[in-house]
Amino acid sequence: MKLHDVRTYKSAEPLAREDQLAWKLAAVATDLVPVDADVIDMLGNRIIDNASVAAASIARGPIRSARAQALGHRSDKGAPLFGLAPDVKVSPEWAAWANGVAVRELDFHDTFLSAEYSHPGDNIPPILAVAQAKGLDGAALVRGLAAGYEIQVDLVKGICLHEHKIDHIAHLGPSAAGGMGALLGLSTDITFQAIQQALHTTTTTRQSRKGEISTWKAYAPAFAGKMAIEAVDRAMRGEGAPSPAYEGEDGFIAWLLSGPNHIYQVPLPAPGEPKRAILDTYTKEYSAEYQSQALIDLAKRMSPKVGDLSQIESILIKTSHHTHYVIGTGANDPQKMDPKASRETLDHSIMYIFAVALEDGGWHHEKSYAPERAQRPGTVDLWHKITTEEDPGWTARYHAMGSDKAFGGKVIITLKNGKSIIDELGVADAHPNGARPFARPNYVEKFRTLADGIVATTEQDRFLALIDRLPTLTGAEVTQLNFIVSSAQLGPDAPAGIF
């Protein structure tokens, strides 16, 4: 890996396109190095992971709305939608839209946290949709997905968006576009233009994850994937993009990030170096914001030690800057303490999550968010006894590299009798450095658990068998990387719209 300095340049200051970040990203994408076996295996895991969450959310309102919109754009040269028969195809950007919402709805798939936050599995729906629409084989799909993961992880390591209140999908648009460049075997020049267009059109604010969080939280990554497909299509037709998109005098860094005086450093693979960034990422065992994963495990561990929860006087969670200010009391969001808050808001309240996990000794992707669960008097009382505090040590561990990196915290439970119960946990049990790291059997178990009663067992078996042969799949078989459910599992029709 090589670190690349990225800064703003005045319009009169020459900057060759080969020295622009978007070109360097495109060069990584179009460097068609072989994909390592362990990367292929993990790509299969993440396709399974995405399908798991999509199955569990298939009848939820946002998915029904997105699916209805997509079905207004049917195409014989399109891609399939989760849950529907393979002969029902829609234009690939709309397939990426509907499938992307299904993957993102429960906040239950993979994650990577560094200078910025991300869910790299959001690259899969748009890249897969284009592969299916173009009849590309498993080898091409693997190549495209490895590139998408690489670009997003590298951007997340080098460029912080959230400190400027820019949503993390600004890294997803370029990574998905780069992944499609690799998938389609495009030139570096075309991919360069597509990456710039994707960045320009997917830069939005973080209000989607602040205050009263709405269903747009699930739609935002799908929007980025949809825009990336359109950007690639335009670039393939010879259309250019705002350039230099990152370094320009009126561009991304100058006005939306840290400005002309700041230098970012983005790590990228050297020419000929394998794309292995997916192995730095990790998935979720629980349907909750990633910083809560280790704390849910910690709540499960601490619950028996406390015994009678009514004897708790207060709970302090000492944790990283991110956890405190984004999902903790440092956010100063009253909605995070509101029993009538939306599921999306509760998902971003570590106070609520820790209280429920402490009471239940576990977590469920639906039951733990049910309105009657959130409004239970005992839960509300416990929930409102919880505060968070930034601890510099945990912040340092959040930004550390390698095995020192951690996303958990230290919990101090003070009882009414004055005694304290104290414990801490750095990473979730399912994390690669955790007590029981997720491997293929865990991903399969997650899929079968979430698909139970929704996707027939024979259909589950068919889908999983394709994953086992991922790099050797034919184009026709890549199109079958989906699952079908009965019409009864799709839920009622979505409200009418324009499409």
Side-chain angles (χ1 to χ4, degrees):
M1 301 292 286
K2 179 182 178 182
L3 282 176
H4 297 265
D5 289 347
V6 185
R7 65 171 177 89
T8 296
Y9 286 75
K10 293 181 179 180
S11 296
E13 196 174 0
L15 179 64
R17 67 178 188 173
E18 291 80 6
D19 294 326
Q20 296 175 28
L21 178 59
W23 181 274
K24 293 175 180 179
L25 297 175
V28 169
T30 55
D31 185 10
L32 303 182
V33 296
V35 182
D36 293 340
D38 52 352
V39 171
I40 293 173
D41 183 68
M42 188 59 73
L43 287 168
N45 290 342
R46 300 307 168 76
I47 295 173
I48 295 171
D49 205 41
N50 276 14
S52 303
V53 189
S57 65
I58 198 73
R60 294 176 65 87
I63 287 76
R64 291 186 285 110
S65 293
R67 187 166 58 237
Q69 289 181 303
L71 288 171
H73 300 82
R74 298 195 187 210
S75 171
D76 291 339
K77 297 181 179 180
L81 301 178
F82 281 127
L84 301 186
D87 60 336
V88 179
K89 296 181 180 180
V90 302
S91 190
E93 76 277 21
W94 285 100
W97 170 255
N99 292 339
V101 175
V103 164
R104 196 66 180 82
E105 163 68 4
L106 293 177
D107 205 345
F108 202 0
H109 64 329
D110 71 11
T111 304
F112 180 72
L113 305 169
S114 189
E116 185 48 47
Y117 327 133
S118 66
H119 293 279
D122 292 332
N123 284 279
I124 295 175
I127 295 172
L128 177 57
V130 172
Q132 291 172 327
K134 301 297 290 184
L136 299 177
D137 62 17
L141 176 62
V142 161
R143 185 174 66 239
L145 292 177
Y149 268 86
E150 184 67 51
I151 292 172
Q152 183 162 31
V153 168
D154 294 342
L155 287 171
V156 167
K157 288 179 178 178
I159 299 178
C160 179
L161 304 173
H162 67 265
E163 67 175 311
H164 304 288
K165 311 309 177 187
I166 301 299
D167 196 18
H168 63 246
I169 67 167
H171 287 335
L172 174 61
S175 66
M180 287 175 232
L183 170 81
L184 295 164
L186 301 180
S187 68
T188 303
D189 181 60
I190 291 174
T191 307
F192 162 66
Q193 298 293 356
I195 286 173
Q196 294 192 114
Q197 288 190 30
L199 171 70
H200 192 72
T201 58
T202 60
T203 301
T204 62
T205 72
R206 277 192 60 80
Q207 191 59 41
S208 59
R209 301 165 206 284
K210 177 74 173 174
E212 187 175 338
I213 304 175
S214 74
T215 56
W216 182 253
K217 183 166 74 74
Y219 278 89
F223 172 78
K226 182 174 182 289
M227 291 298 99
I229 293 175
E230 294 180 0
V232 172
D233 182 81
R234 285 192 295 271
M236 290 175 68
R237 299 175 190 277
E239 303 302 327
S243 184
Y246 286 96
E247 300 94 342
E249 188 171 16
D250 287 345
F252 191 53
I253 293 171
W255 289 100
L256 298 174
L257 299 186
S258 289
N261 297 321
H262 189 82
I263 298 176
Y264 289 98
Q265 290 192 314
V266 178
L268 294 174
E273 186 176 353
K275 301 176 180 67
R276 297 179 56 79
I278 190 174
L279 300 180
D280 291 338
T281 68
Y282 23 83
T283 195
K284 295 179 176 182
E285 185 173 5
Y286 311 112
S287 177
E289 214 273 350
Y290 193 80
Q291 277 70 19
S292 66
Q293 301 292 301
L295 289 165
I296 290 173
D297 284 327
L298 189 55
K300 290 167 60 177
R301 192 164 82 188
M302 296 183 78
S303 183
K305 300 177 184 177
V306 178
D308 184 358
L309 301 184
S310 68
Q311 296 305 303
I312 293 176
E313 180 69 28
S314 65
I315 299 176
L316 174 63
I317 302 174
K318 304 183 79 168
T319 187
S320 68
H321 177 278
H322 169 72
T323 306
H324 175 56
Y325 285 104
V326 176
I327 64 172
T329 49
N332 293 316
D333 287 346
Q335 296 88 350
K336 287 179 168 48
M337 307 301 285
D338 184 359
K340 295 184 179 180
S342 67
R343 182 196 185 282
E344 291 82 3
T345 301
L346 296 176
D347 167 71
H348 276 55
S349 171
I350 190 56
M351 294 73 68
Y352 174 76
I353 292 168
F354 193 84
V356 172
L358 197 65
E359 286 185 325
D360 295 354
W363 193 261
H364 189 272
H365 66 280
E366 289 182 333
K367 295 176 183 177
S368 295
Y369 291 110
E372 60 273 17
R373 184 70 193 80
Q375 295 169 31
R376 189 183 300 174
T379 299
V380 175
D381 182 61
L382 180 60
W383 173 8
H384 287 204
K385 293 178 180 178
I386 301 174
T387 57
T388 65
E389 176 184 292
E390 180 185 0
D391 183 300
W394 285 101
T395 298
R397 293 186 69 184
Y398 178 96
H399 291 291
M401 294 297 172
S403 60
D404 292 331
K405 197 172 187 67
F407 310 107
K410 179 178 182 179
V411 175
I412 302 169
I413 299 177
T414 302
L415 303 178
K416 291 178 180 178
N417 63 10
K419 294 182 179 180
S420 295
I421 299 171
I422 303 172
D423 203 351
E424 63 180 73
L425 186 63
V427 295
D429 290 347
H431 186 275
N433 296 326
R436 40 180 176 78
F438 258 39
R440 177 61 59 88
N442 303 101
Y443 287 95
V444 170
E445 180 184 8
K446 182 176 177 180
F447 175 65
R448 292 202 183 276
T449 298
L450 295 182
D452 184 47
I454 299 170
V455 182
T457 302
T458 54
E459 180 67 359
Q460 295 178 31
D461 294 343
R462 181 197 64 79
F463 172 77
L464 292 171
L466 289 173
I467 301 296
D468 288 340
R469 297 189 293 107
L470 184 60
T472 61
L473 294 179
T474 65
E477 288 173 325
V478 167
T479 302
Q480 297 168 25
L481 277 175
N482 199 357
F483 60 79
I484 305 168
V485 303
S486 69
S487 58
Q489 296 294 340
L490 295 173
D493 291 340
I498 294 173
F499 304 125

